[in-house]
Amino acid sequence: MGSTRARTPKNFVLDERLERYRDAIEYEPARWAGRWAHIAAPSIGADVAVPAYREVRLDLGCGKGSYLVAAAQAEPDVLFIGIDMQPVCIAYAAQRVCEAGLANALLVPGNGEKLAHMFAPGELASITLNFPTPHPRKREAAERLTTLDNLLGYRPLLAERGTIVLRTDSEPLFDYSLPQFEAAGFTVRWTSHDVRADHPAIPMSEYEERLVEEGATVHGICGELGCAPAAEQLEAGRKHMLDSLYDYIPDDLYEGAYIPHGMNFAIQAFRNRRRNQELRARHSAPTSSEPNAEG
């Protein structure tokens, strides 16, 4: 997932692509709730099936599927499910899955709002949030995938010691999300301000490759399902759940550095405001010929 809409080449016919790679797309995910690990397993007797996969992992906001495919290739005994709200991304990801000949990767169209209908309690070993849209403005804050409310919604779906992994180019989103993880009762297993260096085994997505070429470093959080949060944890999380990410922008306003996607306009506005304030202060300062306050 990213903050930009996927581009389509000339002569790209979406419906044709979706139909051509239909075998890698599941349009009725709720029918597999509680049975995802058995999805490719042959039946033994009338109602018994041997699990085909040792665990099930969800890539929420899978984009064009490059991460999903690489992860599925690395662990063929794990079922990887990718969800994305953009049909174009589903088409590209399904194409990648089919062309790679993978049986352990599936795509589900949607935005993840009905995860509780798609998966049984404890069915997911992990949820990956790769470069989710940061939604920096306060009025959009509830749409962030890492709000306290969303993190609480993921908890029932995770198996014991299940994890949620966030990767983002946005340090403000990282700084916002870390206390939200803690408020939701996740034990932080690791954090990183350079995931590529600290965790090189994590597959690289196409979107990440483009960001790194632009100068981005990748920030990450891995939270493990812990005890249900106490009332004071929830209160602390809700106090900042709808914060603007502009509150987390560093004082140097990324001068000479990479600006996270989705924040360019705000950074430029803040820089202009700071310059105007400096100009006003310079013009209002007394000159050497003017008497000072003590004169």
Side-chain angles (χ1 to χ4, degrees):
M1 179 180 289
S3 57
T4 55
R5 184 172 296 277
R7 296 187 179 95
T8 57
K10 190 176 181 180
N11 300 324
F12 181 96
V13 181
L14 178 59
D15 290 344
E16 186 274 332
R17 291 290 184 101
L18 291 171
E19 182 58 32
R20 187 191 311 177
Y21 303 109
R22 175 71 174 76
D23 288 348
I25 305 172
E26 177 54 65
Y27 288 102
E28 299 179 60
R31 68 190 179 117
W32 291 103
R35 301 187 299 124
W36 285 103
H38 301 256
I39 198 167
S43 293
I44 300 176
D47 301 310
V48 181
V50 177
Y53 304 107
R54 64 181 172 86
E55 62 185 40
V56 182
R57 301 181 194 171
L58 174 64
D59 183 7
L60 184 54
C62 64
K64 295 182 179 179
S66 52
Y67 167 86
L68 183 80
V69 166
Q73 289 172 325
E75 297 186 81
D77 60 341
V78 172
L79 177 64
F80 290 86
I81 300 171
I83 294 180
D84 203 280
M85 67 185 298
Q86 293 193 36
V88 170
C89 288
I90 292 293
Y92 275 118
Q95 179 178 351
R96 277 197 164 102
V97 168
C98 290
E99 290 180 348
L102 294 171
N104 64 322
L106 276 174
L107 286 309
V108 175
N111 57 10
E113 287 185 354
K114 298 181 179 179
L115 293 181
H117 298 287
M118 299 181 195
F119 303 103
E123 190 164 21
L124 296 175
S126 72
I127 299 174
T128 300
L129 311 175
N130 280 326
F131 303 95
T133 304
H135 297 294
R137 296 178 179 84
K138 188 168 185 175
R139 65 174 180 268
E140 304 169 329
E143 298 179 47
R144 292 177 203 142
L145 297 185
T146 55
T147 64
L148 172 61
D149 283 350
N150 280 327
L151 292 169
L152 291 173
Y154 306 144
R155 284 183 57 94
L157 307 178
L158 290 170
E160 184 178 357
R161 302 197 67 182
T163 59
I164 295 180
V165 177
L166 166 71
R167 294 193 304 146
T168 178
D169 68 313
S170 173
E171 193 168 7
L173 181 61
F174 171 96
D175 291 339
Y176 162 86
S177 299
L178 185 57
Q180 295 287 293
F181 269 74
E182 294 166 343
F186 285 88
T187 301
V188 177
R189 184 183 288 180
W190 56 258
T191 64
S192 174
H193 288 294
D194 191 346
V195 174
R196 188 50 45 205
D198 296 338
H199 302 277
I202 296 178
M204 202 173 198
S205 72
E206 189 176 77
Y207 187 69
E208 179 183 356
E209 288 177 0
R210 188 165 79 248
L211 294 181
V212 170
E213 286 176 1
E214 294 174 8
T217 55
V218 180
H219 312 279
I221 301 169
C222 177
E224 180 180 300
L225 185 66
C227 297
E232 54 268 26
Q233 287 176 274
L234 295 172
E235 183 180 356
R238 293 200 189 285
K239 188 181 298 183
H240 296 286
M241 188 173 73
L242 299 181
D243 279 358
S244 166
L245 292 190
Y246 301 150
D247 297 337
Y248 297 82
I249 291 174
D251 290 339
D252 64 6
L253 297 179
Y254 300 108
E255 289 289 353
Y258 171 84
I259 298 175
H261 273 229
M263 305 196 79
N264 301 62
F265 179 81
I267 295 299
Q268 192 57 52
F270 288 161
R271 286 176 178 173
N272 290 340
R273 185 185 305 169
R274 178 173 292 181
R275 291 191 189 100
N276 290 337
Q277 289 172 341
E278 290 171 351
L279 285 172
R280 283 196 295 270
R282 194 177 305 144
H283 291 155
S284 62
T287 64
S288 57
S289 62
E290 293 176 335
N292 59 34
E294 298 174 352

PDB file of all heavy atoms in Angstrom, residues 93-111:
ATOM      1  N   ALA A  93      -1.291  -7.929  -8.671  1.00  0.00           N
ATOM      2  CA  ALA A  93      -0.821  -8.911  -7.692  1.00  0.00           C
ATOM      3  C   ALA A  93      -1.231 -10.325  -8.091  1.00  0.00           C
ATOM      4  O   ALA A  93      -0.442 -11.269  -7.980  1.00  0.00           O
ATOM      5  CB  ALA A  93      -1.370  -8.565  -6.310  1.00  0.00           C
ATOM      6  N   ALA A  94      -2.472 -10.478  -8.577  1.00  0.00           N
ATOM      7  CA  ALA A  94      -2.934 -11.802  -9.016  1.00  0.00           C
ATOM      8  C   ALA A  94      -2.105 -12.291 -10.192  1.00  0.00           C
ATOM      9  O   ALA A  94      -1.778 -13.489 -10.287  1.00  0.00           O
ATOM     10  CB  ALA A  94      -4.407 -11.730  -9.389  1.00  0.00           C
ATOM     11  N   GLN A  95      -1.758 -11.398 -11.094  1.00  0.00           N
ATOM     12  CA  GLN A  95      -0.909 -11.772 -12.225  1.00  0.00           C
ATOM     13  C   GLN A  95       0.437 -12.286 -11.730  1.00  0.00           C
ATOM     14  O   GLN A  95       0.944 -13.310 -12.210  1.00  0.00           O
ATOM     15  CB  GLN A  95      -0.711 -10.575 -13.154  1.00  0.00           C
ATOM     16  CG  GLN A  95       0.189 -10.869 -14.350  1.00  0.00           C
ATOM     17  CD  GLN A  95       0.337  -9.685 -15.296  1.00  0.00           C
ATOM     18  OE1 GLN A  95      -0.360  -8.682 -15.155  1.00  0.00           O
ATOM     19  NE2 GLN A  95       1.236  -9.790 -16.251  1.00  0.00           N
ATOM     20  N   ARG A  96       1.022 -11.572 -10.759  1.00  0.00           N
ATOM     21  CA  ARG A  96       2.315 -11.995 -10.214  1.00  0.00           C
ATOM     22  C   ARG A  96       2.210 -13.385  -9.581  1.00  0.00           C
ATOM     23  O   ARG A  96       3.090 -14.235  -9.753  1.00  0.00           O
ATOM     24  CB  ARG A  96       2.795 -10.991  -9.170  1.00  0.00           C
ATOM     25  CG  ARG A  96       3.498  -9.780  -9.729  1.00  0.00           C
ATOM     26  CD  ARG A  96       4.280  -9.075  -8.622  1.00  0.00           C
ATOM     27  NE  ARG A  96       5.243  -8.140  -9.188  1.00  0.00           N
ATOM     28  CZ  ARG A  96       5.085  -6.837  -9.243  1.00  0.00           C
ATOM     29  NH1 ARG A  96       3.967  -6.296  -8.787  1.00  0.00           N
ATOM     30  NH2 ARG A  96       6.013  -6.061  -9.757  1.00  0.00           N
ATOM     31  N   VAL A  97       1.150 -13.617  -8.831  1.00  0.00           N
ATOM     32  CA  VAL A  97       0.962 -14.912  -8.167  1.00  0.00           C
ATOM     33  C   VAL A  97       0.844 -16.024  -9.200  1.00  0.00           C
ATOM     34  O   VAL A  97       1.480 -17.082  -9.080  1.00  0.00           O
ATOM     35  CB  VAL A  97      -0.284 -14.875  -7.258  1.00  0.00           C
ATOM     36  CG1 VAL A  97      -0.661 -16.283  -6.782  1.00  0.00           C
ATOM     37  CG2 VAL A  97      -0.032 -13.963  -6.055  1.00  0.00           C
ATOM     38  N   CYS A  98       0.022 -15.804 -10.217  1.00  0.00           N
ATOM     39  CA  CYS A  98      -0.185 -16.830 -11.247  1.00  0.00           C
ATOM     40  C   CYS A  98       1.092 -17.089 -12.041  1.00  0.00           C
ATOM     41  O   CYS A  98       1.443 -18.247 -12.310  1.00  0.00           O
ATOM     42  CB  CYS A  98      -1.321 -16.418 -12.177  1.00  0.00           C
ATOM     43  SG  CYS A  98      -2.961 -16.467 -11.414  1.00  0.00           S
ATOM     44  N   GLU A  99       1.780 -16.042 -12.427  1.00  0.00           N
ATOM     45  CA  GLU A  99       2.989 -16.215 -13.224  1.00  0.00           C
ATOM     46  C   GLU A  99       4.109 -16.878 -12.430  1.00  0.00           C
ATOM     47  O   GLU A  99       4.972 -17.555 -13.009  1.00  0.00           O
ATOM     48  CB  GLU A  99       3.445 -14.870 -13.772  1.00  0.00           C
ATOM     49  CG  GLU A  99       2.498 -14.323 -14.849  1.00  0.00           C
ATOM     50  CD  GLU A  99       2.923 -12.985 -15.403  1.00  0.00           C
ATOM     51  OE1 GLU A  99       3.824 -12.350 -14.796  1.00  0.00           O
ATOM     52  OE2 GLU A  99       2.357 -12.558 -16.432  1.00  0.00           O
ATOM     53  N   ALA A 100       4.084 -16.717 -11.100  1.00  0.00           N
ATOM     54  CA  ALA A 100       5.077 -17.382 -10.252  1.00  0.00           C
ATOM     55  C   ALA A 100       4.676 -18.814  -9.934  1.00  0.00           C
ATOM     56  O   ALA A 100       5.467 -19.562  -9.342  1.00  0.00           O
ATOM     57  CB  ALA A 100       5.268 -16.589  -8.959  1.00  0.00           C
ATOM     58  N   GLY A 101       3.446 -19.192 -10.304  1.00  0.00           N
ATOM     59  CA  GLY A 101       2.979 -20.552 -10.051  1.00  0.00           C
ATOM     60  C   GLY A 101       2.799 -20.867  -8.580  1.00  0.00           C
ATOM     61  O   GLY A 101       3.010 -22.008  -8.144  1.00  0.00           O
ATOM     62  N   LEU A 102       2.380 -19.884  -7.801  1.00  0.00           N
ATOM     63  CA  LEU A 102       2.262 -20.056  -6.354  1.00  0.00           C
ATOM     64  C   LEU A 102       0.887 -20.587  -5.962  1.00  0.00           C
ATOM     65  O   LEU A 102      -0.133 -20.062  -6.398  1.00  0.00           O
ATOM     66  CB  LEU A 102       2.511 -18.728  -5.642  1.00  0.00           C
ATOM     67  CG  LEU A 102       3.932 -18.172  -5.751  1.00  0.00           C
ATOM     68  CD1 LEU A 102       3.985 -16.759  -5.184  1.00  0.00           C
ATOM     69  CD2 LEU A 102       4.913 -19.079  -5.016  1.00  0.00           C
ATOM     70  N   ALA A 103       0.881 -21.600  -5.110  1.00  0.00           N
ATOM     71  CA  ALA A 103      -0.372 -22.116  -4.565  1.00  0.00           C
ATOM     72  C   ALA A 103      -0.661 -21.532  -3.187  1.00  0.00           C
ATOM     73  O   ALA A 103      -1.777 -21.668  -2.681  1.00  0.00           O
ATOM     74  CB  ALA A 103      -0.313 -23.644  -4.470  1.00  0.00           C
ATOM     75  N   ASN A 104       0.342 -20.877  -2.584  1.00  0.00           N
ATOM     76  CA  ASN A 104       0.206 -20.406  -1.203  1.00  0.00           C
ATOM     77  C   ASN A 104       0.054 -18.890  -1.097  1.00  0.00           C
ATOM     78  O   ASN A 104       0.477 -18.271  -0.122  1.00  0.00           O
ATOM     79  CB  ASN A 104       1.393 -20.863  -0.360  1.00  0.00           C
ATOM     80  CG  ASN A 104       2.714 -20.270  -0.834  1.00  0.00           C
ATOM     81  OD1 ASN A 104       2.936 -20.131  -2.031  1.00  0.00           O
ATOM     82  ND2 ASN A 104       3.586 -19.918   0.100  1.00  0.00           N
ATOM     83  N   ALA A 105      -0.534 -18.270  -2.118  1.00  0.00           N
ATOM     84  CA  ALA A 105      -0.799 -16.828  -2.079  1.00  0.00           C
ATOM     85  C   ALA A 105      -2.136 -16.558  -2.741  1.00  0.00           C
ATOM     86  O   ALA A 105      -2.430 -17.095  -3.815  1.00  0.00           O
ATOM     87  CB  ALA A 105       0.313 -16.051  -2.769  1.00  0.00           C
ATOM     88  N   LEU A 106      -2.948 -15.727  -2.098  1.00  0.00           N
ATOM     89  CA  LEU A 106      -4.269 -15.373  -2.617  1.00  0.00           C
ATOM     90  C   LEU A 106      -4.508 -13.884  -2.428  1.00  0.00           C
ATOM     91  O   LEU A 106      -3.989 -13.271  -1.485  1.00  0.00           O
ATOM     92  CB  LEU A 106      -5.369 -16.138  -1.874  1.00  0.00           C
ATOM     93  CG  LEU A 106      -5.700 -17.561  -2.336  1.00  0.00           C
ATOM     94  CD1 LEU A 106      -6.703 -18.172  -1.367  1.00  0.00           C
ATOM     95  CD2 LEU A 106      -6.272 -17.554  -3.743  1.00  0.00           C
ATOM     96  N   LEU A 107      -5.337 -13.314  -3.284  1.00  0.00           N
ATOM     97  CA  LEU A 107      -5.712 -11.902  -3.190  1.00  0.00           C
ATOM     98  C   LEU A 107      -7.188 -11.777  -2.849  1.00  0.00           C
ATOM     99  O   LEU A 107      -8.018 -12.542  -3.359  1.00  0.00           O
ATOM    100  CB  LEU A 107      -5.432 -11.178  -4.510  1.00  0.00           C
ATOM    101  CG  LEU A 107      -3.972 -10.875  -4.861  1.00  0.00           C
ATOM    102  CD1 LEU A 107      -3.253 -10.179  -3.706  1.00  0.00           C
ATOM    103  CD2 LEU A 107      -3.214 -12.122  -5.264  1.00  0.00           C
ATOM    104  N   VAL A 108      -7.495 -10.796  -2.010  1.00  0.00           N
ATOM    105  CA  VAL A 108      -8.865 -10.498  -1.630  1.00  0.00           C
ATOM    106  C   VAL A 108      -9.117  -9.014  -1.859  1.00  0.00           C
ATOM    107  O   VAL A 108      -8.443  -8.170  -1.258  1.00  0.00           O
ATOM    108  CB  VAL A 108      -9.136 -10.853  -0.153  1.00  0.00           C
ATOM    109  CG1 VAL A 108     -10.546 -10.415   0.255  1.00  0.00           C
ATOM    110  CG2 VAL A 108      -8.954 -12.345   0.088  1.00  0.00           C
ATOM    111  N   PRO A 109     -10.052  -8.649  -2.736  1.00  0.00           N
ATOM    112  CA  PRO A 109     -10.372  -7.228  -2.921  1.00  0.00           C
ATOM    113  C   PRO A 109     -11.071  -6.673  -1.688  1.00  0.00           C
ATOM    114  O   PRO A 109     -11.931  -7.328  -1.091  1.00  0.00           O
ATOM    115  CB  PRO A 109     -11.322  -7.225  -4.130  1.00  0.00           C
ATOM    116  CG  PRO A 109     -11.191  -8.583  -4.745  1.00  0.00           C
ATOM    117  CD  PRO A 109     -10.832  -9.512  -3.636  1.00  0.00           C
ATOM    118  N   GLY A 110     -10.720  -5.453  -1.306  1.00  0.00           N
ATOM    119  CA  GLY A 110     -11.384  -4.822  -0.162  1.00  0.00           C
ATOM    120  C   GLY A 110     -10.433  -3.941   0.606  1.00  0.00           C
ATOM    121  O   GLY A 110      -9.252  -3.828   0.273  1.00  0.00           O
ATOM    122  N   ASN A 111     -10.938  -3.327   1.660  1.00  0.00           N
ATOM    123  CA  ASN A 111     -10.115  -2.410   2.450  1.00  0.00           C
ATOM    124  C   ASN A 111      -9.883  -2.886   3.874  1.00  0.00           C
ATOM    125  O   ASN A 111      -9.369  -2.155   4.707  1.00  0.00           O
ATOM    126  CB  ASN A 111     -10.744  -1.018   2.476  1.00  0.00           C
ATOM    127  CG  ASN A 111     -12.162  -1.033   3.021  1.00  0.00           C
ATOM    128  OD1 ASN A 111     -12.629  -2.048   3.550  1.00  0.00           O
ATOM    129  ND2 ASN A 111     -12.852   0.085   2.890  1.00  0.00           N
TER     130      ASN A 111
END
